[in-house]
């Protein structure tokens, strides 16, 4: 018996309470439902194998409405390897801003709802943790920056406050606080370990240190300017984030992208993936004191960045994409240069993979370290290479492809042990696959324009929304945009893969020894900036 | 082990005498830098990096200063884990509200004389994030800055040149 589609089950359950707002888009269905029923809807989606991809709020007072809660579920399409997205909007009254928590069905809601509470003052009933998130304890009371009645440069007076840490007790239990300023050249965050001897009993993360008000900043920019800010959500994923932004804006405003631009976007996305995977595999080896691989792989990474600069004008590919196209084209010489680079890179990389695999002292550190089981990964709704290393297919290039990935047939890499070694192996296989994809893209690259036409203007209808989903090197990026009453930027929601995967790190380190934490952490390499926004 | 040796021999020495994206010779800059470091810093210039709100783009390029192509250690420059040992602070990002206190404390923990370098457009002028409820903008709005390095992000070569400028000033 084939299970009925989720929306049918939802319709049977809720009858007239459920409204279809927009069923015209490919792969995306927008519904609305009263906020009181949202946890029931989440339970039904969970039963059908769906995942909570994001949960956020909007302040709709400029439309003459009140607040709203949005939930985005990724739901598998029966008999296919694909997913589709179901978005549900629920009105939330300003005077009584409450909704029932989704944490009973989806662990990922744990932090989404703390963020909603911290930035909108909308609380979820039954949430197990009332502490703010990203909003630090010295923020002024009643200051909810994403509300429309708060301006971006609102005065900010620090207040007294404290943060209740999770504490372990018992004989021999001690605590190690780390950060926010860390030992290496890395982003700031605070980690608090409860340990006995060398064994980690609990790790509690505390983030938010690099919160720069990005979502609020978007609201003061034009649609065209937004791409530049999106490219600075997380510098290592600059292209992927700017791409997710452009896809969302293009879907909202009905902008068509020339085929050549779509293929060049895939080319640049794969180059970003290769550069980051190369650097991180080396850095993981370095954290196990095998500096040789770091030197070799950072050399290869540098060569990729240099070719980026000479062909596209920027080492990290910042600002190479705009709504409606790309801002850098490629000539026949450039194609030739990349094909030669790919041959060289592939040969060099394969030699290093053998060295990684055959080094016993390295294998001793990475095998069985920092395990995330398949069940844990599924329960937390993890994404990206972290999920795939634990055996969960999650590659958006396969499961929710935008052009040209619908024609490219990406081979998704998965492993099953979920340890540091498997996370490295997924990334090794993704470097190989990206090299293959780049060669294919370059041989099939269509002609025609790549830059958007000069007359292109983004003028969306009031209230329209757009969804952009991209598999960056770290995993699934979800960007959602909404136009305001006069077609301006009303609200932008960005869900970096780190926002869910940080939860996975807290679980991965349990029972490991403290000196293995850097190795576990590096094998996740989550973004602080992409998380804190 | 043999594979490692073969790979080392095959790779050879990739550390460069010239900067690929600039006409200036890196060894001229580098040797001048090494001279300054020898003269004023007992042959070792120590940098502590502080991300005060960056998007992590600048961190990637600061890391690249250590890759075999640039290898900034040959000039006597290296990065330390503790501000207590630092001569130079590389501060990146607009200063976020949530990092303001940690940044001030880290700068205070660094012994004088210290050189504060604002790395990247955000650190130099606030960049795309500007000032807001969450961001205090340029680093100089929070702590005194000696040298600013523009760029989004500045290239590793630009960072090495900026170091020369920084040590030459004090």
């Amino acid at each position: 018996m084939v299970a009925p589609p989720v929306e049918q089950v939802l319709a049977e359950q809720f009858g007239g309470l459920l409204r279809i707002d927009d069923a015209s888009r490919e792969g995306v269905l927008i519904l609305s439902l009263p906020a009181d029923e949202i946890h029931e809807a989440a339970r039904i989606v969970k039963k059908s194998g769906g995942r909570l991809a994001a949960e956020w709020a909007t302040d709709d007072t400029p439309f003459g409405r009140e607040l709203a809660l949005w939930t985005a579920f990724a739901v598998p399409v029966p008999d296919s390897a694909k997913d589709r997205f179901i978005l549900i909007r629920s009105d939330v009254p300003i005077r009584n801003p409450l909704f029932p928590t989704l944490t009973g069905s989806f662990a990922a809601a744990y932090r989404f709802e703390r963020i909603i509470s911290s930035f909108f003052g909308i609380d979820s009933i039954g949430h197990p943790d009332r502490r703010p998130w990203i909003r630090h304890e010295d923020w002024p009371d009643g200051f909810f920056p994403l509300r429309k009645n708060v301006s971006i440069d609102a005065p900010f007076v620090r207040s007294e406050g404290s943060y209740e840490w999770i504490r372990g007790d018992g004989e021999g239990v001690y605590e190690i606080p780390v950060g926010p300023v860390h030992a290496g050249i890395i982003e700031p965050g605070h980690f608090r370990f409860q340990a006995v001897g060398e064994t980690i009993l609990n790790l509690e993360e505390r983030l938010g240190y690099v919160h720069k008000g990005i979502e609020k900043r978007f609201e003061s920019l034009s649609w065209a300017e937004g791409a530049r800010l999106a490219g600075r959500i997380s510098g290592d994923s600059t292209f992927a984030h700017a791409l997710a932004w452009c896809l969302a804006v293009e879907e909202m405003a009905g902008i068509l992208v020339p085929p050549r631009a779509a293929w060049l976007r895939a080319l640049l996305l794969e180059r970003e993936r290769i550069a980051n995977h190369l650097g991180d595999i080396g850095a993981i080896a370095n954290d196990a004191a095998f500096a040789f691989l770091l030197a070799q792989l950072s050399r290869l990474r540098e060569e990729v960045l240099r070719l980026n600069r000479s062909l596209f004008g920027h080492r990290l590919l910042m600002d190479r994409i705009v709504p409606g196209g790309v801002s850098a084209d490629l000539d026949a010489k450039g194609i030739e240069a990349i094909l030669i680079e790919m041959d060289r890179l592939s040969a060099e990389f394969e030699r290093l993979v053998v060295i990684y695999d055959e080094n016993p002292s390295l294998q001793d550190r990475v095998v069985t370290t920092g395990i995330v089981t398949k069940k844990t990964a599924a329960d937390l709704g993890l994404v990206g290479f972290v999920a795939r290393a634990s055996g969960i297919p999650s590659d958006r290039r396969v499961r929710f492809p935008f052009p040209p990935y619908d024609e490219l047939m990406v081979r998704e890499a998965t492993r099953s042990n979920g340890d540091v070694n498997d996370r490295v192996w997924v990334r090794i296989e993704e470097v190989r696959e990206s090299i293959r994809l780049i060669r294919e893209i370059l041989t099939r690259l269509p002609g025609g324009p790549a830059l958007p036409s000069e007359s292109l203007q983004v003028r969306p209808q009031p209230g329209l929304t757009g969804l952009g989903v991209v598999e960056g090197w770290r995993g699934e990026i979800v960007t959602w945009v909404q136009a305001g009453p006069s077609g301006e930027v009303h609200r932008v929601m960005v869900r970096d893969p780190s926002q869910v995967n940080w939860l996975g790190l807290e679980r991965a380190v349990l029972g490991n020894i403290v000196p293995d934490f850097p190795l576990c952490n590096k094998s996740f390499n989550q973004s602080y900036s992409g998380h804190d926004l | 082990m043999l594979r490692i040796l073969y790979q080392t021999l095959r790779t050879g020495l990739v550390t460069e005498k010239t900067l690929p994206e600039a006409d200036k010779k890196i060894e001229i800059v580098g040797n001048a830098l090494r001279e300054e470091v020898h003269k004023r810093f007992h042959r070792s210039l120590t940098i502590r990096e502080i991300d005060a709100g960056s998007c992590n783009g600048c961190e990637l390029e600061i890391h690249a200063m250590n890759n075999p192509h640039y290898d900034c250690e040959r000039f006597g420059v290296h990065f330390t884990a503790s501000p207590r040992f630092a001569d130079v602070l590389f501060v990146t990002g607009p200063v976020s509200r949530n990092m303001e206190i940690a940044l001030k404390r880290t700068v205070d923990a660094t012994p004088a004389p210290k050189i504060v370098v604002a790395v990247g457009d955000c650190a130099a002028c606030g960049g795309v994030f500007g000032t807001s409820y969450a961001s205090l903008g340029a680093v100089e709005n929070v702590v005194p800055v000696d040298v600013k390095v523009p760029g989004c992000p500045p290239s590793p070569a630009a960072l090495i040149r900026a170091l020369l400028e920084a040590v030459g000033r004090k």
Side-chain angles (χ1 to χ4, degrees), chain A residues 98-352:
Chain A
L98 294 169
F99 68 94
T101 180
L102 308 190
T103 48
S105 299
F106 295 104
Y110 172 69
R111 280 184 185 162
F112 294 151
E113 291 176 8
R114 285 173 70 185
I115 291 172
I116 292 171
S117 166
S118 296
F119 285 84
F120 280 94
I122 303 175
D123 288 327
S124 51
I125 304 161
H127 193 288
D129 191 342
R130 304 235 62 87
R131 296 174 300 169
W133 189 246
I134 298 176
R135 174 195 188 91
H136 283 186
E137 68 274 8
D138 57 0
W139 285 32
D141 281 343
F143 176 71
F144 301 117
L146 287 176
R147 291 265 189 113
K148 287 290 179 186
N149 60 2
V150 177
S151 74
I152 186 162
D153 49 3
F156 187 104
V157 182
R158 290 188 192 278
S159 66
E160 289 289 309
S162 63
Y163 192 74
E164 294 283 319
W165 293 95
I166 295 166
R167 284 275 157 84
D169 55 25
E171 198 178 321
V173 179
Y174 67 101
E175 191 174 87
I176 312 172
V178 183
V181 178
H182 292 164
I185 305 169
I186 42 171
E187 299 179 78
H190 187 94
F191 300 114
R192 207 163 271 218
F193 299 93
Q194 312 290 326
V196 171
E198 288 213 290
T199 308
I200 300 170
L201 289 183
N202 192 46
L203 161 65
E204 189 180 6
E205 295 156 359
R206 198 204 179 193
L207 304 172
Y209 289 92
V210 285
H211 173 66
K212 299 180 274 290
I214 290 176
E215 288 182 327
K216 186 79 174 176
R217 173 64 66 197
F218 272 122
E219 296 173 15
S220 65
L221 300 177
S222 71
W223 294 106
E225 291 165 335
R228 201 174 134 76
L229 181 58
R232 282 151 185 84
I233 288 167
S234 182
D236 50 23
S237 306
T238 173
F239 192 80
H241 267 290
L243 175 57
W245 162 267
C246 288
L247 290 176
V249 171
E250 286 155 5
E251 197 217 6
M252 170 191 67
I255 296 168
L256 293 176
V257 177
R260 185 177 179 82
W263 285 72
L264 284 172
R265 286 174 172 190
L267 171 71
L268 298 182
L269 187 64
E270 298 308 324
R271 290 188 70 80
E272 180 171 272
R273 192 181 322 277
I274 289 176
N276 279 288
H277 283 353
L278 291 175
D280 282 357
I281 296 167
I284 291 166
N286 193 53
D287 274 352
F290 193 53
F292 169 81
L293 271 184
L294 176 67
Q296 289 284 337
L297 288 165
S298 61
R299 174 177 65 87
L300 298 185
R301 173 185 156 87
E302 177 70 21
E303 286 167 9
V304 174
L305 300 191
R306 287 183 178 191
L307 195 62
N308 280 349
R309 187 183 152 83
S310 72
L311 294 179
F312 305 106
H314 196 285
R315 284 164 56 91
L316 305 179
L317 304 173
M318 278 180 173
D319 309 323
R320 301 304 106 172
I321 177 170
V322 286
V326 290
S327 56
D329 205 344
L330 193 62
D331 59 12
K333 262 189 183 164
I335 292 175
E336 188 58 31
I338 297 178
L339 286 172
I340 293 169
E341 176 207 27
M342 286 298 123
D343 290 345
R344 200 175 114 79
L345 175 66
S346 175
E348 293 252 17
F349 183 67
E350 291 307 327
R351 282 199 290 272
L352 297 173

